[in-house]
Amino acid sequence: MQRPIATTRSATGIPTGRLAVWWVIASEIVIFGGVLGSYLMHRLGHPEWSHQSIHTNTWAGAFNTFVLLTSSLCAVLAHQAAEAKDGKKAARFLMFTVLGGLVFLIVKSFEWSHEIHEGFTLTSNTFWSFYYTAAGLHGLHVIAGMVIMLIIMPDVMKNKELQRVENIGIYWHFVDIVWIFLFPLLYIAK
Amino acid sequence: MKIWAILLGLLVVSVAGPFLGIRVVTLITAFGIALVKAYIVAKYFMHINLERKFVTYLLVTMIVLMGLMVGAVSPDVMKHDGARWENVAAKKAVERGEAAAAAGEGHHAEGGEAAPHAAPAEH
């Protein structure tokens, strides 16, 4: 198959697709860093937020951390299978990763429904504004990762474009890292 | 699989930390362990150590830029007064939040009312 020059050329020695993912992650560091840094500064300046943060469900957050860590493991196993040129196995592990994302979102939707029902909405208080913004932005990234995995899966299954498994894996692990920081900030620091 | 088990072990520690009720321990088990977990994921799952150094430099640069932003803004956000300024809105938001909690009015009393004034914009 004829590939565009930009796809095959690599000045850095890193395959172009993977390099693009690293650039995406570099920009995401600033995006999430800005949100989490702002949250942290406000949290330290507003001791009264502790009366709000006690209402977040630590167990739901911990379970979701477990789910994301496990889905990251599936992404690693998918990458290993892709390295071994076993597209079917890689696609299967990608599917498990997507399922992990789905479980994460389902737990989140129950959590948010309960919180909104209790009266804690986006505009209730600045703590809740940060809570919904940070977790919502993260949730959108989870959805984006799931969609990309579903898009690449048919080709992967046919042993085509297997390098994409590693690329989406790198992205997924980053989404996992963001949650690793969100969890203590929103659920443990009471 | 071993790395995954270690990460789950660290998760258990970070959840268990606050039960001791010691603030310093909670800070370490929550944020110290978050840093360790992030390092483990970056190294063993993302294999950043096997990638070209360019990537590490790129990501570290972004983290430093983020740190610069936070460091530069933090005195204005975290402090509510200085030599020639006072953040009246932020002080009022703190007072309102504390008063509502003390009165046992819960989040409903504080919600809505606090929101438009909570942002410490007036310096």
Side-chain angles (χ1 to χ4, degrees):
Chain A
M1 190 180 77
Q2 186 76 25
R3 285 172 178 276
I5 291 170
T7 310
T8 50
R9 191 185 61 184
S10 176
T12 55
I14 303 168
T16 315
R18 202 165 77 214
L19 181 63
V21 175
W22 286 120
W23 273 107
V24 167
I25 289 174
S27 64
E28 298 281 9
I29 287 176
V30 188
I31 293 168
F32 280 106
V35 174
L36 296 187
S38 302
Y39 168 78
L40 196 60
M41 288 187 283
H42 280 88
R43 181 70 202 264
L44 292 170
H46 286 268
E48 83 279 12
W49 284 15
S50 59
H51 303 302
Q52 303 295 320
S53 63
I54 50 167
H55 298 288
T56 59
N57 189 333
T58 308
W59 297 111
F63 178 73
N64 262 349
T65 311
F66 163 75
V67 169
L68 274 195
L69 288 174
T70 307
S71 72
S72 260
L73 172 70
C74 292
V76 170
L77 296 173
H79 178 209
Q80 280 178 2
E83 291 277 298
K85 308 273 181 238
D86 189 345
K88 280 206 168 69
K89 195 175 175 186
R92 197 163 57 240
F93 278 118
L94 278 185
M95 185 50 89
F96 287 138
T97 312
V98 171
L99 282 176
L102 192 64
V103 171
F104 177 89
L105 292 173
I106 290 170
V107 171
K108 208 97 209 74
S109 62
F110 275 111
E111 211 185 324
W112 280 21
S113 303
H114 174 73
E115 281 152 1
I116 291 167
H117 184 256
E118 290 289 305
F120 305 115
T121 63
L122 190 68
T123 53
S124 297
N125 170 283
T126 320
F127 168 79
W128 291 101
S129 302
F130 268 112
Y131 172 83
Y132 287 111
T133 305
L137 188 63
H138 178 266
L140 285 177
H141 282 76
V142 170
I143 293 170
M146 289 164 66
V147 169
I148 294 167
M149 280 185 228
L150 290 172
I151 289 172
I152 68 168
M153 226 179 273
D155 274 348
V156 170
M157 219 178 283
K158 292 177 209 151
N159 265 342
K160 288 196 312 201
E161 309 287 358
L162 289 177
Q163 79 284 355
R164 288 175 179 170
V165 178
E166 181 183 20
N167 295 347
I168 189 60
I170 292 171
Y171 169 85
W172 194 259
H173 299 317
F174 175 75
V175 173
D176 191 9
I177 287 179
V178 171
W179 183 258
I180 283 172
F181 286 107
L182 276 177
F183 174 57
L185 283 170
L186 300 177
Y187 294 88
I188 293 187
K190 297 291 189 189
Chain B
M1 194 64 92
K2 189 179 154 195
I3 300 299
W4 175 73
I6 292 170
L7 286 167
L8 291 192
L10 289 172
L11 168 64
V12 171
V13 174
S14 58
V15 173
F19 285 101
L20 291 173
I22 306 165
R23 195 175 161 81
V24 180
V25 174
T26 302
L27 283 173
I28 293 169
T29 55
F31 298 103
I33 282 183
L35 286 170
V36 175
K37 276 197 285 191
Y39 172 77
I40 291 174
V41 171
K43 186 175 179 184
Y44 295 101
F45 282 1
M46 296 168 95
H47 300 298
I48 202 165
N49 54 326
L50 304 177
E51 191 59 278
R52 297 260 173 161
K53 281 278 170 274
F54 163 78
V55 169
T56 309
Y57 296 148
L58 172 68
L59 301 188
V60 168
T61 304
M62 293 303 164
I63 293 168
V64 169
L65 285 174
M66 188 193 83
L68 273 176
M69 187 280 282
V70 171
V73 177
S74 60
D76 277 357
V77 179
M78 288 162 61
K79 288 182 66 168
H80 294 166
D81 47 27
R84 286 186 294 277
W85 61 276
E86 186 182 10
N87 189 340
V88 179
K91 280 184 172 177
K92 279 184 181 166
V94 174
E95 280 169 19
R96 249 193 333 269
E98 295 291 2
E105 290 170 26
H107 58 276
H108 293 288
E110 190 186 359
E113 196 238 347
H117 311 290
E122 294 173 20
H123 285 191

